[in-house]
């Protein structure tokens, strides 16, 4: 049975490869997507590197193996390319925790504040913001701004992490990622008891109590890089658990432990090989942003890319 599945996957992967070449398409995938999806991707990365890959690609079509806000960012930055999201309802619940209307009300309460918007947000919210950030550049983005006050949306945990590395006044938004929010201190303490020599690499979407145990707080790409260059051979990984499989394949001589087996992003898992094949065959599902929103959202993304270098 397992062999049949592998065989089937191989056939679909070959079809995908053929169609990619025929149509001058590339597949961009996030680290949280399924292993077989990452294997057909031209590039696998964190949100920032995926934005850069979208901008720098010469392809006509980008198939985005990730969630909606990621495909939307690619479309905002590269309007000349056709951006496809294989599963239209692969969303990010945290991105839905801030709306334009609510953000406008907050701006009225803090008229001197600049709005820094995590890329895990809608195009409309980006358009309402001064600058975007990702988990890998949030501190430098905030410190690049002249304003002394910042409204940081939507992730309260990333915002709280940033506030430890700046003297600016940060107004936190009550948004969070359920995958990271559900990682508890008990998970960390339990695993530390079992593997006292392991380094703890954590994503900044984790709660501050959890981050207080971390040796390094990094984006997903940052976690992969740190695990590679570190002299340590054992790591506890505080983020979505798919990345642990990726790390084990990349660094077979090192040991990786997910801090929680429940840390799964079901939206990322909606993207399958079958849905990618359908996407390339039928040019589904096109991601479009109304031009007046796109232009403003692009300003906020471009400003971020200028801070972190393109
Ligand atoms: P990264 O940019 O670190 O990959 O994070 C994206 C994300 O959605 C984390 O939950
Ligand atoms: Fe959104 Fe969390 Fe999934 Fe990242 S892991 S896409 S923040 S729900």
């Amino acid at each position: 049975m397992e062999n049949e599945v592998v065989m089937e996957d191989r056939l679909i992967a070959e079809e995908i490869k053929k169609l990619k070449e025929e149509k001058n398409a590339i597949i961009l995938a996030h680290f949280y997507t399924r292993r077989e999806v990452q294997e057909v991707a031209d590039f696998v990365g964190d949100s920032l590197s995926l934005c850069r890959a979208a901008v720098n690609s010469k392809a006509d079509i980008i198939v985005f193996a990730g969630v909606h806000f990621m495909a939307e960012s690619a479309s905002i930055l590269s309007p000349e390319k056709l951006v496809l999201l294989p599963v239209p309802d692969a969303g990010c619940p945290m991105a839905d925790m801030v709306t334009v209307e609510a953000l406008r009300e907050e701006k009225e309460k803090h008229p001197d504040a600049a709005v820094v918007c995590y890329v895990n947000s809608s195009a409309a919210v980006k358009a309402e913001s001064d600058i975007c950030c990702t988990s890998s550049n949030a501190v430098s983005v905030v410190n690049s701004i002249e304003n002394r006050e910042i409204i940081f949306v939507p992730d309260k945990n990333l915002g709280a992490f940033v506030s430890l590395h700046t003297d600016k006044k940060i107004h936190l938004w009550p948004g969070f990622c359920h995958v990271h929010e559900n990682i508890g201190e008990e998970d960390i303490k339990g695993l530390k008891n079992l593997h006292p020599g392991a380094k703890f690499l954590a994503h900044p979407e984790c709660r501050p109590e959890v981050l207080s145990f971390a040796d390094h707080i990094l984006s997903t790409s940052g976690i992969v890089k740190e695990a590679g260059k570190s002299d340590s051979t054992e790591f506890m990984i505080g983020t979505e658990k798919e990345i642990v499989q990726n790390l084990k394949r990349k660094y077979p001589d090192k040991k990786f432990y997910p801090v929680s087996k429940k840390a799964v992003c079901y939206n990322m898992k909606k993207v399958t090989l079958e849905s990618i094949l359908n996407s390339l065959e039928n040019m589904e599902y096109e991601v479009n942003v109304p031009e007046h929103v796109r232009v403003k959202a692009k300003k906020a993304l471009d400003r971020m890319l200028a801070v972190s270098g393109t």
Side-chain angles (χ1 to χ4, degrees), residues 69-219:
F69 77 81
M70 296 179 169
E72 211 175 41
S73 296
S75 175
I76 292 165
L77 290 166
S78 304
E80 71 291 352
K81 293 169 192 146
L82 175 65
V83 179
L84 302 172
L85 185 64
V87 182
D89 71 345
C92 168
M94 171 158 66
D96 299 333
M97 290 178 185
V98 53
T99 62
V100 171
E101 295 69 32
L103 179 54
R104 282 187 185 152
E105 277 174 28
E106 189 70 2
K107 281 165 81 170
E108 271 174 30
K109 282 190 224 155
H110 309 289
D112 296 330
V115 178
V116 177
C117 166
Y118 191 24
V119 286
N120 300 38
S121 54
S122 68
V125 165
K126 288 183 178 76
E128 198 64 32
S129 304
D130 294 289
I131 185 166
C132 290
C133 73
T134 71
S135 59
S136 69
N137 61 18
V139 172
S140 37
V141 162
V142 165
N143 284 327
S144 75
I145 295 169
E146 279 181 16
N147 306 48
R148 302 302 307 153
E149 263 184 83
I150 306 286
I151 298 169
F152 191 96
V153 295
D155 187 8
K156 63 176 180 178
N157 292 331
L158 180 61
F161 166 69
V162 170
S163 67
L164 299 176
H165 299 274
T166 184
D167 54 6
K168 295 181 192 291
K169 183 171 172 46
I170 312 261
H171 302 284
L172 297 177
W173 195 265
F176 59 89
C177 160
H178 66 97
V179 177
H180 292 83
E181 183 79 1
N182 288 336
I183 297 173
E185 290 148 272
E186 331 67 60
D187 295 320
I188 315 302
K189 285 181 191 156
L191 206 57
K192 262 192 175 296
N193 277 339
L194 288 174
H195 309 287
K199 288 269 179 291
F200 176 29
L201 310 182
H203 195 278
E205 286 178 18
C206 293
R207 290 186 291 112
E209 305 86 289
V210 167
L211 293 180
S212 69
F213 290 96
D215 293 291
H216 297 280
I217 299 168
L218 300 158
S219 76

